[in-house]
Structure formats: C-alpha cells, structure tokens
C-alpha cells in the first residue's frame, strides 16, 4: 500500500544519503527488509543527518533476541515470549524481556535506563511527549529518546501504574506524536507473562548495576534501604489510588486504604511472599467491608514502593474468599511514612 511504499522509499533515501550507498543497493535492502518484516537488512551506522536519531546496533539486537528463539528483532513472532538473563559486567543488556510482533518490554538494571518499550519503528519522533500509550482506563504520555546504546525507545516512567491497568484492560494502544504510526496490542496475547515480567523487575532491583572496575577499585556495595524515598500515584477512575508494591520482593498491586489498620493481603499472596500458615493461625476477628471474618497475623521482611523501603511491616492475612482482588495498603505502612499528601488527583507518599 502507499504507506509501505513511502516507508521503503524513505529508508532507501536515508541509506543512500547518509551512508554513500548506491541507490539500487539501498532500494534492494529496503525491499528485503519490508518483505521479511525485519530491519536486519538496513545498515545501522549512525545517521547523523537526521538530528538525534540513533539506530540500534546489530550487537544490541542480538542481545534482545537472547532467549526468544531468534537472533534478530522479533517482528515475525506472533506468540509473546518472556525471558530473563543475569547481569553481565561491561554489557548493556536487558535483564527482563517480554517481546513479540515488533514490540519489546525491556528492563535494564542501569538506573539511567530502567524500564523501556523498544518498538520496531526506528524513526520515532524523539521528544518529551513523543508517544501516547493507552489502555481501557488510562493513558500515559511518555518521552521518546534516542540512546547511543539501545537506539530509539519509549521511556516507561509509570510502569507500576501501567502494570495495574494492563491486568484489567483489553488492549495496549501506542500512538506516536507525529501521527505516522498507531498500533493496538491485545493484552490477552501477553497477560500470562505480565506477572513474570513484573516479578523479574522487582528481583533485579536487588542486583546492583555492574560498572567496569578500575584497577584497585573495590566492588560496589549492595544497595542499602532508602530512608528518604518518594512515590506517587494518580487517582484511578474508581476514585482509588493504587501502587505496585514489592512485598518480600514479590510484586502485588495494592489499593491505599486509610481505614485498614494493617497492610492486608489474602492467603494466596501470603504464600507467594513466603509466609507459611496453618488453619489454626486464622483466629483474629476483623471487620471488613463484607462483614466480620478471621485473619492471621504476620510480618513482612520488607515493603517497597518505588524509592520507599520499609522493613518489618505488620500484615493482616485474610482467606482468599474474604479478600478478592487488590490487597490493601493500610496504616501499618502509612503510619511509618514521614507524611502522605493529596494534591488534586495525585497521592504522594514521602518517607
């Protein structure tokens, strides 16, 4: 169609102009890239004539393919796949990857990168509001950037909120600011991998980014618990505030509830975070929105939200039938903050 012809001509002209490639060769490469639905045939030397546009290197794309059963960009893969890999010294590679059909969710332990979306579109507009991501119930305007290492990408500063929305949404829609490309991905195609991806992110945060060591330099110490962290969330359409919480290094979505005496989870969540319970433990009477029931009591070793980290948090654990859906971020956590404040549609937590 006309759009595809335009894209092929644009790529051919770009290669011919910036890399001294003969027009016929540039056209052949562009045609093969379109036919095979792969950018493997496009030369990836930096195109300095198009501003801050920085293509991805072939070496980096090989790392993206790690664990996905392919050594090139996963454009032709229909089934979504999740993979993870250990952090390697002196190597910039994602430790958590969820990919298919020209889209890659990637998480890097390097703090200046974090969680990003890598899209098959190499010429995305690089600006503060370069991309709009939409789900059924929310939208996020994100910055698009051109990195000399990983190429053009969409920064996901709000992945915690997005994760919560994806769990209850039907689609993820991506629109670029120049309106040249809009694509919709069905959540049902990859939601079975979302928890694994979120869990991988949580666990990777305990691994310090490995920087090259200078001669005589001591290895970096393990990251300590923050004492002055900040986290914030926007009010959802249901009028509530939710956070992606790391409880004993397990990701759990929690709703802020100042009426809950303790941080409250259900029995299944307790098993995930390593709390072992027997029937005799459920002996404490509690009053919930659904009436009176019984709970078990426990202590979580650590609760993290963004940069906030608090140890030894008291928990109330309900039977699964008594707490269906999101857990509750109650006062045994909120009382240990310096303060929490509401500003318009935003709740800010300050340690």
């Amino acid at each position: 169609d006309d759009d595809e012809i335009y894209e092929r001509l644009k790529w051919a002209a770009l290669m011919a102009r910036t890399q001294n490639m003969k027009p016929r060769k540039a056209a052949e490469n562009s045609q093969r890239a379109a036919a095979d639905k792969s950018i493997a045939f496009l030369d990836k030397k930096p195109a300095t004539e198009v501003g801050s546009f920085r293509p991805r290197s072939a070496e980096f794309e090989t790392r993206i393919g790690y664990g996905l059963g392919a050594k090139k960009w996963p454009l032709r893969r229909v089934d979504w796949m999740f993979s993870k890999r250990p952090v390697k010294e002196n190597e910039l590679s994602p430790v958590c990857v969820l990919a298919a059909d020209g889209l890659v969710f990637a998480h890097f332990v390097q703090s200046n990168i974090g969680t990003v979306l890598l899209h098959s579109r190499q010429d995305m507009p690089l600006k503060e509001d370069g991309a709009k991501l939409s789900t059924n119930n929310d939208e996020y305007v994100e910055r698009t950037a051109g990195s000399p290492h990983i190429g053009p990408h969409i920064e996901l500063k709000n992945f915690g909120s997005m994760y919560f929305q994806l769990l209850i949404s039907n689609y993820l829609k991506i629109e670029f600011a120049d309106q040249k490309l809009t694509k919709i991905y069905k959540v049902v195609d990859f939601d079975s991998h979302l928890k694994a991806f979120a869990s991988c992110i949580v666990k990777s945060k305990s691994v310090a980014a490995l920087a090259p060591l200078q001669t005589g330099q001591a290895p970096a110490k393990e990251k300590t618990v923050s004492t002055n962290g900040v986290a914030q969330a926007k009010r959802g359409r249901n009028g509530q505030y939710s956070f992606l919480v790391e409880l004993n290094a397990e990701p759990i979505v929690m709703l802020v509830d100042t009426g809950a005496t303790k941080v409250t989870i259900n029995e299944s969540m307790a098993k995930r975070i390593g709390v072992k319970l027997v029937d005799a433990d459920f002996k404490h009477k509690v009053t919930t929105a659904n009436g009176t029931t019984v709970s078990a009591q426990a202590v979580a070793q650590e609760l993290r939200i963004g940069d906030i980290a608090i140890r030894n948090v008291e928990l109330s654990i309900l039977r699964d039938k008594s707490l269906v859906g999101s857990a509750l971020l109650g006062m045994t956590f909120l009382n240990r903050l310096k303060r929490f404040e509401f500003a318009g549609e935003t709740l800010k937590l300050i340690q």
Side-chain angles (χ1 to χ4, degrees):
D1 57 25
D2 290 344
D3 287 341
E4 182 176 328
I5 292 173
Y6 169 77
E7 290 295 326
R8 283 161 50 184
L9 287 173
K10 180 177 63 177
W11 274 110
L14 180 65
M15 288 185 286
R17 185 177 71 250
T18 63
Q19 297 163 24
N20 297 320
M21 188 178 292
K22 292 184 178 180
R24 180 179 294 276
K25 180 65 175 177
E28 290 175 354
N29 282 7
S30 183
Q31 186 171 3
R32 290 179 69 188
D36 282 21
K37 297 182 179 179
S38 168
I39 59 175
F41 298 104
L42 302 177
D43 200 322
K44 305 191 180 59
K45 295 177 182 177
T48 55
E49 291 188 19
V50 287
S52 57
F53 167 58
R54 295 178 182 271
R56 301 181 184 98
S57 68
E59 180 185 12
F60 178 76
E61 289 189 6
T62 298
R63 293 175 189 160
I64 283 291
Y66 177 92
L68 297 175
K71 289 296 184 182
K72 59 182 180 180
W73 191 259
L75 274 178
R76 305 180 73 178
R77 181 178 295 284
V78 177
D79 297 329
W80 286 78
M81 293 189 67
F82 165 74
S83 68
K84 58 184 178 180
R85 64 182 304 176
V87 181
K88 291 187 177 180
E89 188 174 353
N90 300 326
E91 181 177 282
L92 180 63
S93 300
V95 294
C96 314
V97 175
L98 177 58
D101 194 20
L103 185 69
V104 177
F105 289 85
H107 178 74
F108 298 79
V109 295
Q110 286 79 6
S111 59
N112 61 326
I113 301 177
T115 307
V116 300
L117 270 179
L118 301 168
H119 196 275
S120 56
R121 182 181 178 186
Q122 286 260 45
D123 63 339
M124 62 178 68
L126 307 182
K127 52 194 297 189
E128 286 296 329
D129 56 349
K132 184 172 75 173
L133 312 178
S134 308
T135 61
N136 289 52
N137 302 307
D138 216 341
E139 66 179 39
Y140 313 85
V141 177
E142 302 284 11
R143 179 173 181 261
T144 49
S147 164
H149 303 292
I150 66 176
H153 61 277
I154 303 170
E155 296 181 354
L156 293 183
K157 297 299 186 184
N158 298 310
F159 179 74
S161 299
M162 183 181 296
Y163 171 75
F164 174 73
Q165 290 298 331
L166 287 172
L167 291 176
I168 57 175
S169 296
N170 298 323
Y171 66 86
L172 172 64
K173 182 179 180 181
I174 300 177
E175 303 171 85
F176 290 98
D178 60 4
Q179 300 181 341
K180 287 186 179 179
L181 178 66
T182 297
K183 190 160 185 178
I184 296 177
Y185 297 88
K186 294 179 180 179
V187 174
V188 69
D189 292 336
F190 61 86
D191 63 351
S192 60
H193 298 298
L194 269 175
K195 178 182 177 295
F197 183 74
S199 180
C200 179
I201 291 176
V202 170
K203 293 175 180 178
S204 72
K205 289 182 180 179
S206 63
V207 180
L210 296 177
L213 295 180
Q214 304 297 326
T215 304
Q217 181 182 352
K221 294 182 179 179
E222 183 178 351
K223 186 178 180 182
T224 57
V225 176
S226 171
T227 58
N228 57 352
V230 175
Q232 61 184 24
K234 291 184 178 180
R235 189 200 307 269
R237 295 196 175 184
N238 59 1
Q240 297 177 304
Y241 299 91
S242 62
F243 287 91
L244 178 59
V245 175
E246 303 164 25
L247 197 61
N248 286 0
E250 279 292 318
I252 297 177
V253 174
M254 291 190 179
L255 295 177
V256 175
D257 188 350
T258 56
T261 305
K262 296 183 178 181
V263 172
T264 305
I265 62 177
N266 63 26
E267 193 174 2
S268 296
M269 296 172 186
K271 291 179 181 178
R272 281 171 47 194
I273 68 171
V275 175
K276 296 180 180 180
L277 298 168
V278 297
D279 288 341
D281 294 324
F282 290 87
K283 59 185 179 182
H284 305 274
K285 287 187 178 182
V286 293
T287 301
T288 69
N290 298 321
T292 302
T293 185
V294 291
S295 72
Q297 308 296 313
V299 175
Q301 294 176 340
E302 184 179 77
L303 189 156
R304 284 182 177 265
I305 303 177
D307 295 330
I308 296 174
I310 293 180
R311 296 192 184 278
N312 301 321
V313 178
E314 293 181 53
L315 304 175
S316 179
I317 302 169
L318 304 182
R319 296 289 192 182
D320 288 351
K321 63 182 180 181
S322 299
L323 182 63
V324 179
S326 299
L328 305 177
L329 197 59
M331 297 307 295
T332 49
F333 168 77
L334 297 174
N335 278 337
R336 295 176 64 181
L337 298 175
K338 182 178 181 180
R339 68 179 185 275
F340 56 94
E341 56 191 36
F342 298 90
E345 297 294 305
T346 301
L347 168 62
K348 189 173 186 180
L349 310 179
I350 302 168
Q351 188 174 15

